[in-house]
């Protein structure tokens, strides 16, 4: 039975009653993590603050230096509560990669946020449940996927969005994402799984929630591209990567998801596979946040063997040569306004897409600069953040409109929503372009026959 | 397989960007890998070549005159005065109208936020109307929420320094800023987007609100200086619109860290890298390398080096050649291979050079200073107490910590042989100078970046 039919994480809202909820002791754990050397490393240069997209547009946000090392120090001196402004941080992690002095800002924010939610946010508040629901998209999505047409119809109704905003605090400005009529895992099962057996070249695909429920075309493109290079693709059971849970301070939900993922992915490693992800926030979470926050057996191993799907091919195959021979003759793939997601940037992947697509005859990706898209996962869905989110996105929208392209390209599902929302463009994932290039250029096969 | 390039530059501050840009003039495949953000975010955005001699004489009117007399170990001496000129020429080409100062070899005198006057070789166009050599009367405007720039105090300091004009300072409340720790990017954003703000009962654009506040204080001064927060991507437009509305010239006073002029320079350099086709990988560190020993015949011989401008040290018989470096991407090791490498990882601030206690229980005083990627030799006293002198204003040995190099900027081992035949070093990772005391930070980085990149690029072709 596929994981889509039998969710492995059954602790989300709706299935979980209040008394089952085990409070976690975040703070002692944070001490275990020993954030002191990190805090001491801060020499107050404010580089983090000047990289924070929220502080640039929102007067009420005190910025990462305060959220991280300063608050940490305050806490130790005079048992103070975590400031509620921590919920205004979007978890874009730009401050983390900016700090020249190795202060683990995102680790500090994640633990502070978890402590705030645990100790200062009422478990009965609308905000708590709204956040919990957003964070646990993974447990709600199967419902939508079971009745995609009804779900799309219902979420598209104006009364639904009005209710969403009034009752749940989810902005009515955005269209909720559409569910695919067939999830990736359903397609995978129907197809009979992998088409190639190859003990020497094996990857385990972490598709995450969005590529499964909403954009299975991205996941299918990954399968086709990897099979093109002769890989055996495994699709292990998996839970949410945890990204939306970290961002909402739901560390205990994240812990459960991580435990499932680490054990499933570690088993895939045992089978000789490397792990690849198509979503930049999923790979970021597995690579950095898992080892920063948890220590299940195999966490480090899983983290250090997880790759961005394109980067993996680049290092293990002669991808550049293959693309140099490839061409695409399709208007839909001609020119793209490319946005590098913050979480790709944090992994040193910001230049990769533009570099590689330049090799393909007939395709060009124009970089729209290094600003943040502003949506940061669940952040921009909250009624109270919508305006900030759009203000941050303004620079990207303008650059997209100035770029010589009528469609967008990115690797992050929520950046993609924001790009579409701000410009009305169709947004594509890089793997779809690679699939078109590599498979179209394959003499004997058309893309559809690879199904 | 590794990610392959001709030249790989490690570090993306001024030195690394310049190295990549000059390498790209000679070869196609240049990559720059950089980890965290560079000191450009903190630096003033001024390009100092040399403000004071190592023994403290100055401010210098003509930095080029003084370059000739620097000690042989100084990076400027390593590369030669002509290279400094060539590097500035490339910088001028890259920055175009955004920077001024290229009409003369003498230093310009720029008023700083503390009210001192700083000798510098190139300055942002935004600062041009504020030079201390210009005799127009000046109004300086500071803001309550930006205590780093106390305008009345700065004005008094400038007058005391004997500037040839009258200057006054006023402190205002910045329209639209409430919190006293608002980020400089917030000020810039307000002005750049001309966000509407409410003052009392009226709502106006942030620029109009600022203009009306300043106008009320303006007497017969013909220029107004603001702290350097006037916009980010469209700073020219912000400055011009304020100048038009006030009917005077408007200029920015360079500030301490964090610094918008530094960020704007970073943007200029990174745009130039993109235009030059340099591939940039940021957010991830180089952590290790693999090397191989190559026979003498394959390394440049001493004769060749001498013909090429002269190495004053023997090139060794056999040499180590870096085959590939390892980039750590959040735990995954990604090999990168190139023919030539440039190390531009910064000094103690950029973490290109690190120090650690090496002491045992009995002798706590010993310490090591090292270069963490290639473990290139960094000369230093073993006793940590010899790294500092008691006089806070004295010449601090630690300020000069860094690599020694030959005239091609290839790092040298303790015995004077090359560490690697295909590695060059540039910027603050080099030793032999104290940029803060000499006011030579950006200049040394530009000149050595230029030379290291150029030689690396040329060698690929050979
Ligand atoms: C506060 C301050 C003010 C200054 N003001 C002035 C001024 O007014 N005028 C002036 O001329 N100069 C000034 N300077 C000096 C000047 O701006 C630069 O500091 C100097 O030129 C050094 O530049 P750099 O490129 O060598 O190194 P850095 O700017 O330190 O850059 C080094 C880069 O290398 C990266 N790096 C380090 N290790 C690795 C690794 N293992 N892998 C990949 N990347 C790595 C770092 O993350 C960093 O991005 C100032 C400096 C500071 C700190
Ligand atoms: S960038 Fe790092 S060192 Fe600088 S203020 Fe922020 S946390 Fe502190
Ligand atoms: S994670 Fe992003 S939003 Fe949060 S403090 Fe850091 S830079 Fe700001």
């Amino acid at each position: 039975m596929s994981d889509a039919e039998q969710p492995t994480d059954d602790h989300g809202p709706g299935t979980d009653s209040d008394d089952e909820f085990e409070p976690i002791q975040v703070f002692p754990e944070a001490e275990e993590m020993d954030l002191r050397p990190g805090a001491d490393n801060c020499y107050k240069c404010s580089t983090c603050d000047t990289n924070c997209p929220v502080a640039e547009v929102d007067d009420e946000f005190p910025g990462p230096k305060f959220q991280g090392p300063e608050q940490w120090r305050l806490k130790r001196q005079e048992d103070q509560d975590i400031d509620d402004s921590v919920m205004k941080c979007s978890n874009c992690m730009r401050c983390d990669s900016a700090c020249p002095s190795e202060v683990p800002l995102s680790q500090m924010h994640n633990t502070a946020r978890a402590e705030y939610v645990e100790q200062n946010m009422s478990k009965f508040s609308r905000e708590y449940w709204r956040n919990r629901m957003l964070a646990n998209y993974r447990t709600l999505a199967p419902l939508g996927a079971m009745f995609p047409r009804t779900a799309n119809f219902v979420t598209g109704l104006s009364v639904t969005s009005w209710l969403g905003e009034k009752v749940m605090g989810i902005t009515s400005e955005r269209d909720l994402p559409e569910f695919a009529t067939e999830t990736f895992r359903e397609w995978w099962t129907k197809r009979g799984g992998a088409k190639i057996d190859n003990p020497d070249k094996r990857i385990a695909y972490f598709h995450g929630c969005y590529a499964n429920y909403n954009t299975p075309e991205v996941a299918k493109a990954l399968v086709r591209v990897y099979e093109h290079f002769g890989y055996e693709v495994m699709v292990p059971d998996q839970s949410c990567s945890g990204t939306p849970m970290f961002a909402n301070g739901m560390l205990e939900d994240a812990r459960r998801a991580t435990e499932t993922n680490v054990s499933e992915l570690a088993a895939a490693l045992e089978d000789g596979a490397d792990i690849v992800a198509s979503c930049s926030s999923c790979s970021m979470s597995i690579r950095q946040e898992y080892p920063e926050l948890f220590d299940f057996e195999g966490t480090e191993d899983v983290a250090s063997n997880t790759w961005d799907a394109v980067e993996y091919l680049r290092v293990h195959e002669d991808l550049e040569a293959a693309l140099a021979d490839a061409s695409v003759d399709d208007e839909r793939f001609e020119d793209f306004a490319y946005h590098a997601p913050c979480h790709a940037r944090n992994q040193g992947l910001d230049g990769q897409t533009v570099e590689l697509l330049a090799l393909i005859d007939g395709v060009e990706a124009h970089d729209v600069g290094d600003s943040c898209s502003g949506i940061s996962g669940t952040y921009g869905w909250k009624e109270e953040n919508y305006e900030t989110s759009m203000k941050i996105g303004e620079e990207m929208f303008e650059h997209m409109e100035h770029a010589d392209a009528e469609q967008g390209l990115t690797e992050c599902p929520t950046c993609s929503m924001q790009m579409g929302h701000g410009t009305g463009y169709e947004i594509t994932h890089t793997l779809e372009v690679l699939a078109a290039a590599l498979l179209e250029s394959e003499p004997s096969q058309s893309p559809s026959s690879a199904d | 397989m590794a990610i392959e390039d001709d030249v790989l530059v490690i570090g993306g501050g001024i030195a690394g960007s310049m190295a990549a840009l000059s390498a790209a003039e000679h070869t196609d495949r240049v990559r720059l890998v950089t980890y965290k953000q560079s000191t450009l975010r903190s630096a003033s955005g001024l390009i100092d070549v040399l403000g004071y001699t190592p023994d403290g004489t100055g401010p210098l009117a003509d930095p080029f005159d003084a370059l000739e007399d620097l000690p042989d170990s100084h990076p400027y001496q390593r590369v030669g005065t002509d290279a400094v000129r060539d590097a500035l020429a490339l910088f001028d080409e890259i920055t175009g109208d955004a920077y001024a100062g290229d009409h003369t070899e003498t230093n310009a005198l720029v008023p700083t936020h503390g009210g001192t006057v700083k000798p510098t070789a190139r300055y942002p166009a935004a600062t041009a109307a504020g030079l201390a050599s210009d005799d127009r009367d000046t109004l300086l405007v500071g803001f309550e929420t930006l205590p780093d720039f106390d305008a009345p105090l700065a004005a008094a300091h400038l007058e005391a320094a004997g500037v040839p004009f009258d200057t006054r300072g006023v402190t205002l409340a910045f329209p639209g800023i409430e919190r006293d720790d608002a980020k400089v990017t917030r000020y810039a954003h307000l002005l750049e987007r001309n966000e509407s703000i409410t003052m009392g009962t009226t709502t106006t654009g942030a620029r109009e609100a600022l203009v009306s506040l300043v106008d009320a204080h303006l007497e017969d001064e013909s220029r107004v200086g603001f702290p350097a927060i006037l916009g980010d991507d469209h700073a020219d437009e912000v400055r011009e619109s304020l100048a038009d509305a006030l009917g005077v010239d408007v200029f920015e006073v360079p500030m301490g860290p964090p610094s918008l002029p530094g960020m704007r320079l970073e943007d200029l350099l990174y745009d130039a890298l993109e235009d030059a086709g340099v591939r940039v990988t940021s957010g991830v560190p180089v952590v290790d390398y693999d090397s191989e020993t190559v026979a003498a015949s394959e390394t440049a011989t001493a004769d060749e080096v001498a013909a090429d401008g002269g190495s004053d040290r023997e090139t060794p018989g056999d040499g180590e050649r870096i085959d590939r470096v390892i980039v750590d991407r959040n735990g995954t090791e990604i090999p990168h291979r190139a023919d030539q490498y440039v190390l531009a990882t910064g000094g103690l601030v950029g973490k290109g050079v690190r120090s650690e206690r090496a002491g045992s229980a009995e002798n706590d005083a010993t310490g090591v200073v090292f270069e963490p990627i290639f473990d290139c030799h960094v000369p230093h006293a073993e006793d940590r107490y010899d790294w500092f002198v008691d006089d806070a204003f004295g010449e601090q040995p630690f300020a000069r910590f860094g690599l020694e190099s030959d005239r091609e900027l290839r790092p040298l081992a303790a015995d004077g042989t090359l560490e690697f035949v295909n590695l060059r070093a540039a910027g603050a990772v080099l030793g032999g100078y104290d940029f803060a005391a000499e006011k030579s930070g950006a200049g040394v980085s530009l000149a050595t970046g230029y030379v290291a990149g150029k030689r690396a690029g040329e060698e690929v072709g050979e």
Side-chain angles (χ1 to χ4, degrees), chain B residues 176-420:
Chain B
I177 295 279
E178 303 271 323
R179 38 182 330 123
D180 56 11
D181 65 345
K183 315 301 166 231
V184 289
T185 48
R186 177 72 196 132
Y187 291 86
H189 189 95
L190 265 174
L191 290 174
E192 186 143 304
R193 300 269 158 191
N194 201 16
E195 276 185 26
S196 5
I197 52 161
T198 309
M199 295 212 306
T201 52
T202 48
T203 300
T204 53
R207 293 185 199 171
E208 290 74 38
L210 181 60
V211 165
S212 74
L213 283 177
V214 174
D215 212 20
H217 290 271
L218 193 60
E219 289 169 7
D220 48 10
E221 292 91 354
S222 56
R223 52 180 178 167
V224 176
F226 290 94
I229 45 129
L230 306 180
D232 187 357
D233 288 342
H234 307 286
D236 289 343
E237 188 202 310
V238 173
R239 202 173 63 253
E240 277 158 27
S241 82
L242 296 179
D244 280 351
L246 289 167
V248 294
D249 272 354
V250 165
F251 65 92
E252 287 187 333
V253 178
M255 299 284 288
S259 147
L260 279 161
M263 291 177 226
R264 295 181 203 137
L265 174 57
E266 182 176 51
D267 285 345
L268 280 172
L269 293 171
Y270 277 74
D271 285 349
L273 288 167
E274 191 180 337
D275 292 344
V278 173
R279 300 145 155 236
V280 176
T281 300
S282 59
V284 285
V286 172
V287 291
D288 206 353
Y289 70 100
D290 287 331
S291 67
E292 60 201 15
T293 305
V294 284
S297 59
E298 288 179 44
T299 68
T301 65
D303 286 350
E304 277 172 314
V305 174
D308 199 58
S311 162
D312 50 357
R313 308 213 190 200
E314 285 285 303
T315 308
D318 292 340
E320 284 288 298
R321 190 180 173 84
I322 299 165
D323 177 48
R324 53 165 76 190
V325 295
I326 306 298
V327 172
D328 173 358
R329 288 206 182 153
N330 311 71
T332 315
E333 297 192 336
I334 317 281
H336 282 65
R337 183 187 286 120
D339 190 45
Q340 300 293 321
Y341 296 84
V342 177
L343 181 69
T345 44
L348 288 163
V349 178
K351 302 233 187 267
V353 175
R354 290 178 179 247
S355 65
E356 256 172 25
R357 287 167 186 242
S360 52
E362 306 86 69
N363 184 1
D364 182 44
T366 54
V368 286
V369 183
F370 60 103
E371 178 279 301
I373 304 176
F374 301 104
D375 203 18
C376 289
H377 168 63
V378 185
H380 63 277
E382 212 173 277
D383 190 329
R384 285 191 296 120
Y385 296 102
D386 292 339
W387 297 357
F388 314 95
V389 294
D390 287 339
D391 176 3
F393 297 100
E395 195 179 296
Q396 294 291 350
F398 75 88
R400 296 162 178 277
F401 281 168
L403 311 187
E404 287 184 312
S405 77
D406 73 354
R407 289 189 184 276
E408 274 205 31
L409 299 175
R410 292 177 295 189
L412 298 173
D415 62 2
T417 60
L418 295 183
E419 290 271 18
F420 300 96

